[in-house]
Structures are given as C-alpha cells and as structure tokens.
Amino acid sequence: MVRRSASILSRLLANPSSPFTAPSRSITYMPRPGDGAPRIVTLIPGDGIGPLVTGAVEQVMEAMHAPVHFERYEVRGNMRKVPEEVIESVKRNKVCLKGGLATPVGGGVSSLNMQLRKELDIFASLVNCINVPGLVTRHENVDIVVIRENTEGEYSGLEHEVVPGVVESLKVITKFCSERIARYAFEYAYLNNRKKVTAVHKANIMKLADGLFLESCREVAKNYSGITYNEIIVDNCCMQLVAKPEQFDVMVTPNLYGNLIANTAAGIAGGTGVMPGGNVGAEHAIFEQGASAGNVGNDKIVEQKKANPVALLLSSAMMLRHLRFPTFADRLETAVKQVIQEGKCRTKDLGGDCTTQEVVDAVIAALE
C-alpha cells in the first residue's frame, strides 16, 4: 500500500496540471511586522567618480521602488575632519552608502575613511572577490572573501618625527581587536557555509604583533571544529593568489595586508570595478566599492562620464540584504549580472566603451 501510494504521488507531482505541483515561487523570507517600512540611509557621494556611481545607485533604487530613502551629505577627502552632522546621521540611520574619498598622499589631512571607521567602530571590512559570469579571466572558480581588521595595525595613524630625518610609525595590534575580527571571520564562514578560514600574517618577522594576531585566530578557531583553519605568510600568500587563487575561501587579515590582498584578489577575479564590499561594526555599517584601487577614478573618466557603477550597485545589493530587503537585493544583483553576461553594455575597464548612464539604463531595463 505504501509503495502504491508513493507511485501515485510521484505521478501527481510530475503532472504540471496537478493541484499538488510544487509552486514556482518559494518562500525565501518571512518578514517581521514593520520590516517593509522604508529605511533612511546616509549617502556620501565622495570625490572623483563617486557622484557618478552613487547617482547610478539612486536611479536604480528608484526604478525598482526599493524602500530606501537617501539622506545626502557632501564630504570631500581634503576636509580636515568628517563633519559632525555626517557622523550623527550615520549613528542615527545605522547604514551609509559611500563613494570614494580621496586621501592626500604624503602630507595633508588624515584619511577621512579612517576617521569614519574609528569614530563609528566599524571594525570589519569585507570584500567578496568572485568570478562574474560573462567576464573572461585567467583563473576560474575564484570565490574569495577577504575580511580585514579596520581600526588598528599600520593604519593606526600614530606617526611622529623622532629627530629631523627620522620618522617613527607605530603598528598597534591588540588581543581584543584581533579576537573580534577572527570571531567575525569564523561566524561569517559558518553562516555562509564556507569551509576554510586562512589567517594572513608576517609573524616570522613581526613576532610579537603578528604573533598576537595569530594566537587570537587560533583561540577562536578552536570553537569552530567544522571549519578548516590554516595560516599563510603574506608574501607567500600574494604568490599563491596569482598562481592558484581557487585554493582560498575566507581570508582574515590585519589592516594593511587585507588592503593589499583584497585589491590583488579583485584584479584576479575580474577587476576592482565589479567587486562589492562593505564595512560593519556592532551598530553601524558603511557600504562602498569593495577594492579601494580606482574608487575615485581620474579626471578623464569623470569628464567622459564613463565610470563603472557595477561594484557600487553590487555593494548596494549587499546593503539591501543588510537592511532585510532580500528580494530587492536578489533583483538588483540578477539584473546587474545579466547586463554583464550579455556583454552589450560595458565600461572601458570591462572591454566596452559605454557611459555610466548607459550601464544604468541597461540595468533598469533588465529589472523590468
């Protein structure tokens, strides 16, 4: 009887006209009451190509009727400090979308990016370097997540001139921040079904500082027996990245190494113009282009209005998921990847000659 019933059920499910046919749309997200309320997001267009690519995001969000309202603030990289009203806006809204902010090389003001991260304790930077269908690259099956400590290390900004001609720059590593970023990396791996976490270091030379970072990672790894943990020296890591990038899964790094690794991995996976990223802390999050190289662009790209908006559009999809709008995030991500895969509308860095607006129009058409 059981065997006969199973046979009947199989025939019913195989018949498209059967009332028992599985629905074509599955339930992917069960919202809590109030989850559909529009969210206010702080918007910092930034310098260079920033206004172009953030403007692209605004257009696409409006076209898809996303429940997001932007609160815009003009901030420039040559300002001495981030205006207090901007800090208050991010604290109030909890989420920020940001274009690139230019940081003067050598002298000049300190990095406003670092000011934002320290003021808001946004301790984790995440860049997802993954092959995008339709983009031909030297390596396939690249899917690397670089998680970088954001608040200390060489980026602590503690420098002074000891005597004329001699400058001392301090690298600060603490057990608290090292354990915190390690825990975030393992939690990310666990929640996203990732199999391996690799700690990047230079503990063979910086035995105390990077040694403390490794010690913290090892302690946290003991709590995640289902995830493989390994370690790699940063110079060997760079060589392995360009030779066999598919061996890496989640990478956790101190501040400076993470910046270098993320930009290298982004170039390998398809270019910095298509890699999304975000920065997150316990209370606040800032979403921006994942890899910092090229996030401000140059005068020629700005004048021709040919900046690539893909990276920030995909970062916006990450932001929508963070805001618990997963369906809007899926629609946006699918539309952007469809445009790339079709190959008809690409900016110069991806082998085309389209303007930012032409890419935006193509994404909006794909949404429809």
Side-chain angles (χ1 to χ4, degrees):
M1 179 64 184
V2 172
R3 189 175 300 168
R4 182 166 174 252
S5 299
S7 176
I8 294 171
L9 182 59
S10 298
R11 288 200 301 272
L12 286 171
L13 289 173
N15 181 4
S17 62
S18 167
F20 298 101
T21 302
S24 59
R25 177 178 295 176
S26 59
I27 298 173
T28 58
Y29 175 60
M30 183 175 177
R32 300 171 302 181
D35 271 1
R39 291 290 301 273
I40 300 175
V41 172
T42 303
L43 177 66
I44 302 175
D47 297 313
I49 66 171
L52 275 174
V53 294
T54 55
V57 172
E58 288 183 284
Q59 288 185 61
V60 172
M61 290 287 186
E62 184 177 353
M64 67 191 300
H65 305 291
V68 172
H69 171 71
F70 290 110
E71 192 172 86
R72 175 189 292 262
Y73 289 90
E74 297 300 330
V75 180
R76 295 287 178 262
N78 58 5
M79 292 179 172
R80 297 203 66 82
K81 61 178 292 186
V82 180
E84 192 59 39
E85 60 267 25
V86 178
I87 298 292
E88 290 302 318
S89 173
V90 180
K91 286 182 177 179
R92 181 173 62 252
N93 299 330
K94 308 295 185 186
V95 177
C96 173
L97 182 70
K98 184 176 78 66
L101 290 172
T103 301
V105 177
V109 299
S110 62
S111 168
L112 298 191
N113 294 307
M114 284 302 302
Q115 287 185 31
L116 277 169
R117 292 164 190 166
K118 287 185 176 181
E119 182 72 27
L120 301 167
D121 196 26
I122 298 178
F123 66 87
S125 166
L126 187 150
V127 182
N128 189 189
C129 304
I130 183 172
N131 288 132
V132 180
L135 286 184
V136 179
T137 59
R138 184 181 297 273
H139 297 279
E140 298 179 351
N141 303 315
V142 178
D143 186 2
I144 303 169
V145 174
V146 182
I147 294 176
R148 157 193 173 202
E149 207 289 320
N150 242 352
T151 61
E152 55 178 21
E154 293 87 348
Y155 283 30
S156 300
L158 300 175
E159 296 182 313
H160 63 278
E161 189 174 41
V162 183
V163 295
V166 179
V167 172
E168 187 175 59
S169 180
L170 301 180
K171 171 177 177 171
V172 178
I173 296 287
T174 65
K175 186 174 181 64
F176 172 79
C177 289
S178 297
E179 285 187 346
R180 183 169 66 168
I181 195 65
R183 193 174 302 112
Y184 182 82
F186 276 94
E187 283 181 355
Y188 177 90
Y190 171 67
L191 293 173
N192 287 276
N193 196 31
R194 296 278 183 160
K195 306 302 181 186
K196 182 169 67 173
V197 172
T198 302
V200 182
H201 66 94
K202 191 63 176 173
N204 57 325
I205 303 298
M206 301 179 197
K207 297 182 184 296
L208 292 178
D210 284 21
L212 177 58
F213 176 77
L214 282 186
E215 178 186 312
S216 302
C217 290
R218 290 166 185 166
E219 285 297 315
V220 173
K222 293 175 183 177
N223 300 317
Y224 295 86
S225 58
I227 298 172
T228 301
Y229 170 71
N230 65 349
E231 301 166 357
I232 188 168
I233 297 173
V234 63
D235 38 355
N236 182 33
C237 178
C238 293
M239 189 275 290
Q240 294 290 337
L241 262 178
V242 298
K244 194 178 178 183
E246 61 274 9
Q247 68 182 288
F248 295 107
D249 192 354
V250 175
M251 307 176 78
V252 59
T253 78
N255 209 332
L256 177 61
Y257 309 155
N259 196 9
L260 304 177
I261 295 298
N263 280 277
T264 303
I268 290 167
T272 59
V274 295
M275 298 301 148
N279 304 272
V280 67
E283 299 290 335
H284 313 97
I286 296 178
F287 294 88
E288 57 189 331
Q289 178 175 313
S292 59
N295 66 350
V296 176
N298 56 54
D299 293 339
K300 185 176 181 181
I301 294 176
V302 175
E303 289 169 7
Q304 295 178 343
K305 298 184 177 180
K306 290 186 176 182
N308 187 350
V310 169
L312 199 64
L313 286 170
L314 293 176
S315 297
S316 300
M318 290 175 62
M319 181 187 75
L320 288 169
R321 289 195 181 93
H322 179 79
L323 292 171
R324 296 193 179 96
F325 299 134
T327 303
F328 288 94
D330 290 345
R331 285 181 60 204
L332 175 54
E333 196 170 82
T334 300
V336 171
K337 290 182 177 179
Q338 180 182 322
V339 170
I340 293 174
Q341 190 162 24
E342 287 174 352
K344 297 176 183 177
C345 192
R346 294 181 180 178
T347 48
K348 190 174 181 178
D349 59 314
L350 301 183
D353 195 40
C354 290
T355 64
T356 306
Q357 189 58 52
E358 287 170 336
V359 176
V360 170
D361 293 340
V363 171
I364 291 174
L367 284 168
E368 297 171 352

